Amino acid sequence: MEGHLVTTLKKMNCQNAEDVKRAVKELNVSFIQFWFPDVLGFLKSFAVTPSELDEGMTEGMGFDGSSIEGFCRIDESDMMALPDPETFRLIPWRPKEHNAVARMFCDVLRPGGEPFEGDPRHVLKINLKKAADMGYTFYVGPELEYFYFKLKDGDPTRLTTEVLDRGGYFDLTVRDAAIEWRRDTVIQLEKMGIGVEYAHHEVADSQHEID
């Protein structure tokens, strides 16, 4: 069933609001998360139901911008989050057959529909256009390096400083939970349409990398 849903989504290749609404119906999506970053790069999110999707896709959904780091003052707090249909993806670690969850990245607008100057996505668009006007093409390839540590008493909110493996750079022979988690991370990323060039163990104990 999961493979069918992923294949169906890829075929849809959402380009507009109608594509998104059709995908939500056919994939039995119960919640659509609207994502956007604050000025420090922290991801913000709120969820809407399919009944609110039509309004959200055409007019955007309002929120209190004064509560978002670096956005605006209390007397100019009204903001709108307008989702980009092309970023519609199922969240693969949530249920698929019933109550599936999807997400879209949003542009942040002022109440009148003008782009908000502090929206990082808007700033990126401006600079991409400047680069294109100068004849440049922008490429980005994130190289994520991170560590795994054991939990204290199995509690996911309490980490120890104890590593999970003693592997080194590009080690193949390390066999433990960390390797499986890295592989699962790659699988989940690709299900969301994020291409992965390669993944490997890094230099330090329990250090891993995904590019």
Side-chain angles (χ1 to χ4, degrees):
M1 184 64 179
E2 182 174 312
H4 168 70
L5 291 174
V6 174
T7 301
T8 301
L9 182 57
K10 287 181 178 178
K11 288 180 179 179
M12 287 182 175
N13 190 24
C14 296
Q15 299 294 315
N16 52 51
E18 292 305 314
D19 290 343
V20 170
K21 287 186 284 186
R22 184 173 65 252
V24 165
K25 182 178 180 180
E26 294 188 11
L27 299 174
N28 295 315
V29 174
S30 295
F31 298 96
I32 305 95
Q33 294 182 356
F34 285 21
W35 289 7
F36 61 91
D38 65 16
V39 296
L40 299 179
F42 288 100
L43 186 63
K44 303 296 180 179
S45 171
F46 61 89
V48 303
T49 60
S51 63
E52 297 295 321
L53 186 60
D54 191 51
E55 178 182 349
M57 294 290 298
T58 55
E59 301 178 13
M61 300 295 290
F63 67 94
D64 179 10
S66 67
S67 298
I68 304 295
E69 186 72 31
F71 266 28
C72 61
R73 295 167 293 190
I74 190 66
D75 60 337
E76 51 184 17
S77 61
D78 291 339
M79 293 282 173
M80 305 294 291
L82 183 67
D84 179 351
E86 294 185 14
T87 66
F88 180 88
R89 293 290 187 279
L90 283 180
I91 295 180
W93 55 88
R94 300 301 298 271
K96 305 299 187 304
E97 296 183 19
H98 303 287
N99 301 321
V101 179
R103 70 95 163 108
M104 286 184 285
F105 279 101
C106 297
D107 292 307
V108 178
L109 310 176
R110 293 190 178 278
E114 306 86 4
F116 171 54
E117 301 87 342
D119 175 18
R121 200 166 191 260
H122 176 62
V123 174
L124 176 61
K125 287 180 179 181
I126 290 176
N127 284 280
L128 290 178
K129 185 179 185 307
K130 286 181 179 179
D133 290 344
M134 296 170 64
Y136 292 103
T137 301
F138 180 80
Y139 295 97
V140 60
E143 182 178 294
L144 307 179
E145 297 183 14
Y146 57 95
F147 291 84
Y148 287 120
F149 297 96
K150 288 187 177 181
L151 303 177
K152 184 175 180 62
D153 301 324
D155 185 347
T157 65
R158 303 174 66 191
L159 287 177
T160 70
T161 57
E162 186 177 353
V163 297
L164 295 186
D165 67 63
R166 298 293 178 181
Y169 191 67
F170 272 31
D171 274 0
L172 174 65
T173 55
V174 179
R175 289 290 179 267
D176 53 30
I179 302 299
E180 298 305 317
W181 290 341
R182 190 184 72 212
R183 290 173 177 169
D184 188 56
T185 301
V186 171
I187 290 171
Q188 302 303 324
L189 287 169
E190 294 198 325
K191 285 180 181 178
M192 295 189 75
I194 301 172
V196 175
E197 184 179 22
Y198 53 76
H200 61 84
H201 200 289
E202 256 294 343
V203 175
D205 294 343
S206 206
Q207 183 184 21
H208 297 260
E209 179 176 318
I210 297 176
D211 297 339

